[in-house]
C-alpha cells in the first residue's frame, strides 16, 4: 500500500494536476499559442489523464474556479465597447448575423451528424470566449471532454495562418493592449463578494451554470456602470486559466479513443464550416463597403486578436477596425453563450446528466 493516507493522496493528486496544467500552459505560452495558459493546461492535463495519471480537482476548488471565471469575464469587458456599435454598422451587423449562422449551423451539424447532445453541440459551436465556454461546460452543461477537443481544434486551425504570415512577412509580433491599472486587494475582495452573492442568487433561481453566470453578470454590470475600470491582476488571470485547464483536463479520466476521435472529426468539420461562413459574409460586406476584402475577413474572423492583428499590420490594414470587431464579437458572445445555455437546459433538462 502507498504511504499516503486518503487525504494526503488527494492533496498530492490535486497538486500534481495543477502542476501539469501550469507546465502545459507555460509551454503553450512559450510557443505563442492563443489562450496559451488555458489551452496548454487543458491539453497537458488531458494527455496526463488519458495516460492514467490521477488528475483530479475537488468540488470546493471547482466552485472557486467558477467565481474567478465570472469575475475575469466581467472585468475584461471594455467600458466603451457599447459605443463601438455605431462605428461600422454594415460590418458589425454582418458580424452579429454571422455568429448566429455559425452557432446554428455547426450546432445543428454536430447534433444531427455526430449525434452529440444539444449542450455539447452548441457550446462547441461558439467561435470564441473559450474560457467562458469551458466554464459553462464545467458546470455540467454538455460533455466538457468533447467540447474542449472541438474548441482546441478550432483554435489551432484558425491560427495556422499566423505563423505562416510571420515567416513570410517582415512583421513584429502584434500584442493586444496591456492594462496599466489593476484592481487592488480591497477591490478584489469586494468584487468577489458581490460576484459570489450574485452567483448564489442565480443558483437559487436554478439558472444554468449559476455561479459562473451570476459572477459574470455582477462583474459586467459593475464595469459598464463605471464602478471600476481596472483590470484583474495578471497573476490572478493566469491562475484562473491554469485552474480552468486543470478542471477541463481532469474530465478526460477514462475517455475512450472512440469518443476522442468522434469529437476530433466533428471539430474539423465545424471549423471548416466556420471559415466558409466567415468568407461568404466577408464577400457580401465587401460589395457594400469600400475597404479591402482581407481587412473585412480579419475583422469577422473568429481567430485570436493578436494573430489577426499581426496579419492586419503586415498587410497594411486598419487594425482599429479589426480590434473593434473582435471586441464586439466577444461582447456579443458574452450574452449569447449564457442565453443558449439556458435555452438548451430548458429544451433538454436531462442534457447534463452523466456529464457531471
Amino acid at each position: 500500500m502507498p504511504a499516503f493516507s486518503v487525504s494526503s493522496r488527494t492533496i498530492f493528486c490535486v497538486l500534481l494536476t495543477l502542476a501539469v496544467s501550469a507546465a502545459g500552459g507555460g509551454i503553450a505560452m512559450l510557443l505563442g499559442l492563443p489562450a496559451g495558459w488555458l489551452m496548454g493546461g487543458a491539453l497537458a492535463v488531458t494527455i496526463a489523464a488519458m495516460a492514467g495519471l490521477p488528475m483530479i480537482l475537488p468540488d470546493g476548488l471547482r466552485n472557486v474556479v467558477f467565481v474567478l471565471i465570472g469575475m475575469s469575464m466581467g472585468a475584461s469587458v471594455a467600458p466603451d465597447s457599447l459605443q463601438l456599435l455605431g462605428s461600422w454598422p454594415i460590418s458589425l451587423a454582418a458580424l452579429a448575423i454571422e455568429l448566429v449562422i455559425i452557432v446554428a449551423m455547426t450546432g445543428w451539424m454536430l447534433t444531427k451528424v455526430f449525434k452529440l447532445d444539444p449542450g455539447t453541440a452548441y457550446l462547441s459551436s461558439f467561435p470564441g470566449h473559450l474560457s467562458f465556454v469551458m466554464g459553462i461546460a464545467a458546470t455540467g452543461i454538455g460533455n466538457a471532454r468533447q467540447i474542449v477537443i472541438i474548441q482546441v481544434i478550432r483554435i489551432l486551425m484558425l491560427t495556422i495562418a499566423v505563423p505562416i504570415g510571420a515567416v513570410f512577412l517582415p512583421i513584429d509580433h502584434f500584442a493586444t493592449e496591456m492594462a496599466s491599472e489593476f484592481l487592488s486587494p480591497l477591490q478584489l475582495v469586494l468584487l468577489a463578494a458581490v460576484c459570489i452573492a450574485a452567483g448564489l442568487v442565480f443558483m437559487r433561481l436554478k439558472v444554468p451554470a449559476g455561479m459562473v453566470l451570476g459572477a459574470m453578470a455582477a462583474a459586467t454590470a459593475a464595469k459598464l456602470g463605471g464602478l471600476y475600470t481596472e483590470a484583474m491582476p495578471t497573476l490572478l488571470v493566469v491562475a484562473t486559466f491554469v485552474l480552468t485547464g486543470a478542471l477541463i483536463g481532469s474530465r478526460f479520466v477514462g475517455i475512450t479513443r472512440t469518443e476522442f476521435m468522434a469529437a476530433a472529426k466533428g471539430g474539423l468539420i465545424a471549423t471548416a464550416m466556420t471559415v466558409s461562413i466567415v468568407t461568404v459574409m466577408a464577400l457580401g460586406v465587401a460589395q457594400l463597403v469600400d475597404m479591402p476584402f482581407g481587412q473585412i475577413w480579419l475583422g469577422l474572423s473568429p481567430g485570436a486578436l493578436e494573430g489577426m492583428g499581426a496579419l492586419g499590420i503586415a498587410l497594411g490594414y486598419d487594425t482599429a477596425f479589426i480590434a473593434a470587431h473582435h471586441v464586439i464579437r466577444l461582447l456579443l458572445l458574452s450574452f449569447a453563450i449564457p442565453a443558449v445555455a439556458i435555452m438548451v437546459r430548458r429544451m433538454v433538462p436531462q442534457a447534463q446528466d452523466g456529464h457531471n
Side-chain angles (χ1 to χ4, degrees), residues 76-96:
S76 66
V77 173
D80 61 345
S81 58
L82 294 177
Q83 300 174 9
L84 297 174
L85 289 172
S87 302
W88 295 280
I90 294 177
S91 55
L92 287 172
L95 176 66

Side-chain angles (χ1 to χ4, degrees), residues 271-315:
T271 304
M273 290 177 63
T274 297
V275 172
S276 299
I277 293 168
V278 169
T279 302
V280 171
M281 294 299 294
L283 284 170
V285 173
Q287 309 307 310
L288 302 175
V289 299
D290 184 19
M291 64 178 66
F293 167 78
Q295 176 175 303
I296 299 171
W297 195 94
L298 291 176
L300 298 183
S301 169
L305 173 59
E306 63 270 21
M308 300 303 102
L311 292 178
I313 290 175
L315 297 171

Side-chain angles (χ1 to χ4, degrees), residues 73-168:
M73 288 302 308
S76 66
V77 173
D80 61 345
S81 58
L82 294 177
Q83 300 174 9
L84 297 174
L85 289 172
S87 302
W88 295 280
I90 294 177
S91 55
L92 287 172
L95 176 66
I97 295 171
E98 165 192 289
L99 292 177
V100 172
I101 295 174
I102 289 173
V103 174
M105 290 189 64
T106 57
W108 179 88
M109 182 274 298
L110 291 171
T111 302
K112 299 300 182 182
V113 177
F114 290 93
K115 308 302 180 183
L116 300 184
D117 64 88
T120 301
Y122 286 98
L123 285 181
S124 297
S125 68
F126 280 107
H129 259 343
L130 180 61
S131 59
F132 194 21
V133 170
M134 292 293 95
I136 297 292
T139 64
I141 298 179
N143 188 324
R145 297 175 173 182
Q146 294 175 321
I147 293 170
V148 73
I149 295 171
I150 294 173
Q151 287 284 6
V152 166
I153 288 174
R154 178 187 64 82
I155 290 176
L156 290 175
M157 286 185 63
L158 287 172
T159 52
I160 286 175
V162 178
I164 293 176
V167 168
F168 293 102

Side-chain angles (χ1 to χ4, degrees), residues 37-262:
W37 286 111
L38 174 61
M39 187 174 69
L43 279 174
V45 177
T46 295
I47 294 171
M50 295 181 68
L53 294 178
M55 298 285 102
I56 63 173
L57 209 66
D59 289 345
L61 193 53
R62 183 183 66 174
N63 290 329
V64 172
V65 177
F66 292 159
V67 173
L68 288 174
I69 290 172
M71 287 176 61
S72 298
M73 288 302 308
S76 66
V77 173
D80 61 345
S81 58
L82 294 177
Q83 300 174 9
L84 297 174
L85 289 172
S87 302
W88 295 280
I90 294 177
S91 55
L92 287 172
L95 176 66
I97 295 171
E98 165 192 289
L99 292 177
V100 172
I101 295 174
I102 289 173
V103 174
M105 290 189 64
T106 57
W108 179 88
M109 182 274 298
L110 291 171
T111 302
K112 299 300 182 182
V113 177
F114 290 93
K115 308 302 180 183
L116 300 184
D117 64 88
T120 301
Y122 286 98
L123 285 181
S124 297
S125 68
F126 280 107
H129 259 343
L130 180 61
S131 59
F132 194 21
V133 170
M134 292 293 95
I136 297 292
T139 64
I141 298 179
N143 188 324
R145 297 175 173 182
Q146 294 175 321
I147 293 170
V148 73
I149 295 171
I150 294 173
Q151 287 284 6
V152 166
I153 288 174
R154 178 187 64 82
I155 290 176
L156 290 175
M157 286 185 63
L158 287 172
T159 52
I160 286 175
V162 178
I164 293 176
V167 168
F168 293 102
L169 297 170
I171 61 174
D172 295 324
H173 179 69
F174 179 84
T176 54
E177 183 178 351
M178 300 298 293
S180 57
E181 297 183 350
F182 301 94
L183 290 166
S184 67
L186 177 59
Q187 287 177 305
L188 282 172
V189 170
L190 293 175
L191 182 61
V194 173
C195 288
I196 292 172
L200 292 174
V201 170
F202 274 47
M203 290 179 66
R204 185 67 180 270
L205 296 174
K206 300 187 183 304
V207 175
M211 188 58 74
V212 176
L213 299 185
M216 188 211 73
T220 301
K223 186 70 173 284
L224 295 179
L227 297 182
Y228 71 97
T229 57
E230 299 84 357
M232 291 274 284
T234 303
L235 287 178
L236 187 57
V237 174
V238 170
T240 300
F241 288 159
V242 170
L243 285 166
T244 305
L247 176 60
I248 298 305
S250 64
R251 291 178 175 271
F252 282 78
V253 173
I255 190 172
T256 64
R257 180 175 297 182
T258 301
E259 184 181 12
F260 180 87
M261 291 306 298

